[in-house]
Amino acid sequence: TPQEDVAKKALYPNSSTLEAAPFIIPDFTISTTGAGYLYYKTEGSLVEYIKQEHNQDVKAIACHPKQPTLAIGGFDGLLQIIDFELKMLTHVRQLVESEPQLITCLAYNSTGDYLAIGFECGTVIIVDAVTLQNEIKIDSNKIGRAHA
């Protein structure tokens, strides 16, 4: 049959040792409990990462002063930059475990060149607004705190 001919030429994995008509399913997407989205291509058994969304509370939003972009940060350490005119994600940074995770506030400087990320622990990291790479880290534990 034509379906069997396609299966023989394709890269579908063998699912059993018994002779039978091939069981072919279309490609599909997978969503995880951690808010990740994957695309599974059945031919060749390929998994492609699509995107990661916030899997904990979003606590901080900042609008760029000159461009139609919005920075979004949450308690999961995920920082996303979204172009709200194009309605698409432009930059993503997932903070690593050695960095603070609980983002509580975001603010761009007046020119929009830098983005300050504030964390629940009191640490502030200044990143380049385009690359999202660290420029300055201010650790509140090392500079002291004033109490009123």
Side-chain angles (χ1 to χ4, degrees):
T1 68
Q3 186 180 17
E4 289 173 341
D5 292 338
V6 169
K8 287 178 185 175
K9 292 177 187 174
L11 299 173
Y12 293 105
N14 294 330
S15 59
S16 68
T17 56
L18 302 174
E19 289 294 323
F23 179 69
I24 299 174
I25 58 172
D27 300 347
F28 56 92
T29 58
I30 302 167
S31 62
T32 68
T33 57
Y37 298 95
L38 309 168
Y39 177 76
Y40 185 80
K41 183 176 173 91
T42 55
E43 184 175 359
S45 297
L46 300 173
V47 178
E48 180 183 337
Y49 171 81
I50 298 173
K51 70 181 203 174
Q52 175 73 37
E53 287 295 330
H54 291 278
N55 62 5
Q56 292 188 26
D57 294 346
V58 170
K59 295 290 186 176
I61 298 175
C63 194
H64 193 282
K66 298 183 178 183
Q67 297 175 5
T69 57
L70 193 65
I72 301 172
F75 269 18
D76 53 2
L78 181 63
L79 176 64
Q80 296 178 316
I81 309 297
I82 297 173
D83 185 314
F84 56 82
E85 284 183 347
L86 298 175
K87 296 183 175 120
M88 66 182 280
L89 193 61
T90 59
H91 296 85
V92 177
R93 178 176 173 188
Q94 176 65 59
L95 298 168
V96 295
E97 289 196 23
S98 62
E99 298 177 298
Q101 294 290 308
L102 306 174
I103 298 173
T104 56
C105 58
L106 295 168
Y108 282 99
N109 71 329
S110 60
T111 60
D113 297 328
Y114 298 99
L115 176 65
I117 308 169
F119 299 90
E120 187 176 62
C121 64
T123 299
V124 175
I125 297 176
I126 311 291
V127 299
D128 182 285
V130 176
T131 66
L132 301 181
Q133 295 302 308
N134 290 9
E135 295 288 329
I136 301 170
K137 180 177 179 181
I138 304 166
D139 189 348
S140 65
N141 294 326
K142 295 181 181 172
I143 60 172
R145 295 183 184 153
H147 295 282

